[in-house]
Amino acid sequence: MKITRAEYAGACYGVERALSLVDKAADGPTPVHTLGPLIHNPQVVAELQERGVEVATSVDEVASGTLVLRSHGVAPQVVEAARAKGLVIVDATCPHVSKAQQAARELREQGSTVFVVGERGHPEVEAISSWAGEGTLVVQEPGDLPPLDGLQPERIGVVVQTTQSPGALAAIVAALEARGIQPEVRDTICFATRQRQEAAIKLAREVEVMIVVGGRNSGNTTRLAELCRTVCPCTWHIESSVELRAEWFAGVEKVGVSAGASTPEAQIVEVEQALANVG
């Protein structure tokens, strides 16, 4: 059975940067907390906890020490609250997410109503929305668009969650244009996301089974699996090699492997090694 990894797969620069920052903080003399899971990868979060890096759900839970801002970013009010408590702040926000936050703020300052294309409730989307201020609308598909009565058509701005697909953004823009609106669009999908999606789809077309590795709470990994499944129905999203099932590969000659942007290299290698021993 031939096992092929997508040309681009696994941890992106933003995730590697966040892991490096928290690694240095963990070696310091003060207690370290991350504000929410540092990245959407349960194994990595568990490993950090073993090193004493705890997860806090709010600034109120951290009495002292170092607070690491997660890669998905936080609202500006959260940073202010952490500073007010005298916490040492390590900003692990992905630089691409920071750009999306700034784009949202700029659109708001121009007087635009901001639409954020992304998943409701996702921490990155919540953070971006907070930078855009009150009245921000989160939409993931055209059916989510509300009636636009009362809005100024010439003052509609669009930003997008960094891990969304270009197709999701295009669909929202097309739906707005169909209503006679020409929005100001800030395409804030990160290049690493595009690379991984394009490479995964390309490989999925060439194999019989596709394995996508990464946390189930990872939006970008979930989207990778969804996109692969459109061209390779036998696509499986797993978090670790223990989930692999021999029956998935009965009679299969070509298997593809991809991984989300929050999946470290070691986790991909583990899955590849397990696949080599299947059957």
Side-chain angles (χ1 to χ4, degrees), residues 4 9 18 166 168 175 210 212 222 231 239:
T4 304
M210 193 74 186
V212 180
T222 299
V231 295
E239 289 189 347

Side-chain angles (χ1 to χ4, degrees), residues 115-135:
F115 286 74
V116 180
V117 180
E119 302 165 62
R120 285 191 183 88
H122 190 284
E124 179 189 331
V125 173
E126 291 183 343
I128 293 171
S129 298
S130 71
W131 285 80
E134 290 185 18

Side-chain angles (χ1 to χ4, degrees), residues 3 5 8 25 30 38 41 47 51 54 92 109 122 126 128 137 144 155 167 187 202-203 210 226 238 271:
I3 302 159
R5 187 192 297 197
Y8 299 101
T30 61
L38 180 71
N41 187 294
E47 289 167 5
R51 295 186 58 193
E54 298 295 332
E109 290 174 346
H122 190 284
E126 291 183 343
I128 293 171
L137 300 168
D144 297 334
R155 290 192 176 274
D187 183 349
K202 181 177 182 293
L203 179 58
M210 193 74 186
E226 291 170 348
I238 65 171
V271 168

Side-chain angles (χ1 to χ4, degrees), residues 96-142:
H96 293 290
V97 173
S98 295
K99 288 180 181 178
Q101 293 172 345
Q102 293 305 315
R105 185 180 71 174
E106 288 169 6
L107 287 169
R108 180 201 67 197
E109 290 174 346
Q110 291 173 194
S112 297
T113 297
V114 182
F115 286 74
V116 180
V117 180
E119 302 165 62
R120 285 191 183 88
H122 190 284
E124 179 189 331
V125 173
E126 291 183 343
I128 293 171
S129 298
S130 71
W131 285 80
E134 290 185 18
T136 301
L137 300 168
V138 177
V139 294
Q140 189 165 9
E141 54 189 32

Side-chain angles (χ1 to χ4, degrees), residues 209-229:
V209 175
M210 193 74 186
I211 302 298
V212 180
V213 187
R216 287 191 174 79
N217 60 342
S218 165
N220 76 82
T221 308
T222 299
R223 267 183 291 284
L224 270 183
E226 291 170 348
L227 290 168
C228 288
R229 203 168 284 121

Side-chain angles (χ1 to χ4, degrees), residues 2 35 45 96 101 121 140 142 147 155 177 191 195 239 252 276:
K2 182 180 179 182
L35 193 55
V45 172
H96 293 290
Q101 293 172 345
Q140 189 165 9
R155 290 192 176 274
E177 290 176 341
F191 183 61
Q195 281 185 321
E239 289 189 347
V252 170

Side-chain angles (χ1 to χ4, degrees), residues 9-226:
C12 63
Y13 166 75
V15 167
E16 295 284 9
R17 175 179 174 274
L19 292 172
S20 176
L21 288 171
V22 80
D23 187 59
K24 290 178 183 176
D27 289 335
T30 61
V32 179
H33 289 78
T34 63
L35 193 55
L38 180 71
I39 60 174
H40 280 158
N41 187 294
Q43 292 124 303
V44 168
V45 172
E47 289 167 5
L48 289 174
Q49 287 180 314
E50 289 175 5
R51 295 186 58 193
V53 178
E54 298 295 332
V55 178
T57 58
S58 72
V59 175
D60 293 338
E61 295 179 12
V62 185
S64 63
T66 298
L67 181 67
V68 181
L69 306 183
R70 64 194 300 174
S71 59
H72 304 97
V74 299
Q77 301 93 316
V78 172
V79 180
E80 292 170 7
R83 285 177 178 154
K85 292 190 73 171
L87 301 176
V88 176
I89 299 173
V90 175
D91 189 355
T93 304
C94 170
H96 293 290
V97 173
S98 295
K99 288 180 181 178
Q101 293 172 345
Q102 293 305 315
R105 185 180 71 174
E106 288 169 6
L107 287 169
R108 180 201 67 197
E109 290 174 346
Q110 291 173 194
S112 297
T113 297
V114 182
F115 286 74
V116 180
V117 180
E119 302 165 62
R120 285 191 183 88
H122 190 284
E124 179 189 331
V125 173
E126 291 183 343
I128 293 171
S129 298
S130 71
W131 285 80
E134 290 185 18
T136 301
L137 300 168
V138 177
V139 294
Q140 189 165 9
E141 54 189 32
D144 297 334
L145 286 171
L148 304 179
D149 301 338
L151 298 181
Q152 295 176 279
E154 70 280 7
R155 290 192 176 274
I156 302 291
V158 176
V159 296
V160 57
Q161 183 181 2
T162 61
T163 56
Q164 282 290 316
S165 69
L169 174 60
I172 296 298
V173 173
L176 288 170
E177 290 176 341
R179 299 189 190 187
I181 294 170
Q182 296 295 323
E184 180 175 347
V185 180
R186 303 288 184 91
D187 183 349
T188 49
I189 298 173
C190 88
F191 183 61
T193 294
R194 293 181 190 271
Q195 281 185 321
R196 280 153 184 73
Q197 290 176 351
E198 291 170 1
I201 293 170
K202 181 177 182 293
L203 179 58
R205 289 194 176 103
E206 301 168 358
V207 299
E208 298 156 87
V209 175
M210 193 74 186
I211 302 298
V212 180
V213 187
R216 287 191 174 79
N217 60 342
S218 165
N220 76 82
T221 308
T222 299
R223 267 183 291 284
L224 270 183
E226 291 170 348

